[in-house]
Amino acid sequence: MSAAKDFSLTELNKPEDWGNLIDMAKKHVPIIEAPAKVKAKEPFTVKVKVGGIDGVEHPNILGHWIGWIELYAGDRQICRIDFAPEVSNGYAARLDVTLNSSATLIARSFCNLHGLWEGQEKEVTVE
Ligand SMILES: [Fe+2]
């Protein structure tokens, strides 16, 4: 991502410096909450949320909203959740997941005005 631009409509937006996020990133990157260690084939809860980093929320209005969130375990898609503007109360997804082996969770979100965003990866170790 170019330093001169806040976002790209044609390429994946993924912050490089997570300790120094610009406001555009704070309101677009999906944040994954998941345990670091789980047991094989036992369900655990994963939460994915867009917006709210340092209180910077993404708009939720007709014409500007987060259209969807996708969650992956490595290259394998776990789910995709679509949001309608105005009627969703923020952009949060919660689901139960089971893994057979350790995986890297990755979340992506899509804003109709600011494109595709990827958040920080979350490693889940299956014991
Ligand atoms: Fe946006």
Side-chain angles (χ1 to χ4, degrees), residues 35-52:
K37 294 182 180 178
V38 300
K39 293 187 172 151
K41 299 179 183 176
E42 285 193 10
F44 60 94
T45 300
V46 178
K47 295 178 192 171
V48 185
K49 181 178 184 290
V50 170

Side-chain angles (χ1 to χ4, degrees), residues 24 27-28 58-59 64-66 111-114 117:
M24 182 63 81
K27 62 185 174 184
H28 285 100
H58 190 278
H64 189 196
W65 80 101
I66 299 296
C111 168
N112 71 308
L113 290 185
H114 301 112
W117 293 76

Side-chain angles (χ1 to χ4, degrees), residues 28-100:
H28 285 100
V29 291
I31 303 153
I32 300 171
E33 284 183 40
K37 294 182 180 178
V38 300
K39 293 187 172 151
K41 299 179 183 176
E42 285 193 10
F44 60 94
T45 300
V46 178
K47 295 178 192 171
V48 185
K49 181 178 184 290
V50 170
I53 298 176
D54 296 334
V56 182
E57 299 287 353
H58 190 278
N60 188 358
I61 57 174
L62 288 173
H64 189 196
W65 80 101
I66 299 296
W68 48 259
I69 295 172
E70 291 177 338
L71 179 67
Y72 296 82
D75 292 332
R76 187 176 185 188
Q77 188 177 27
I78 297 174
C79 75
R80 173 181 162 124
I81 295 164
D82 294 280
F83 297 99
E86 296 186 327
V87 290
S88 64
N89 182 22
Y91 310 104
R94 176 189 170 123
L95 72 157
D96 291 336
V97 174
T98 58
L99 293 174
N100 294 333

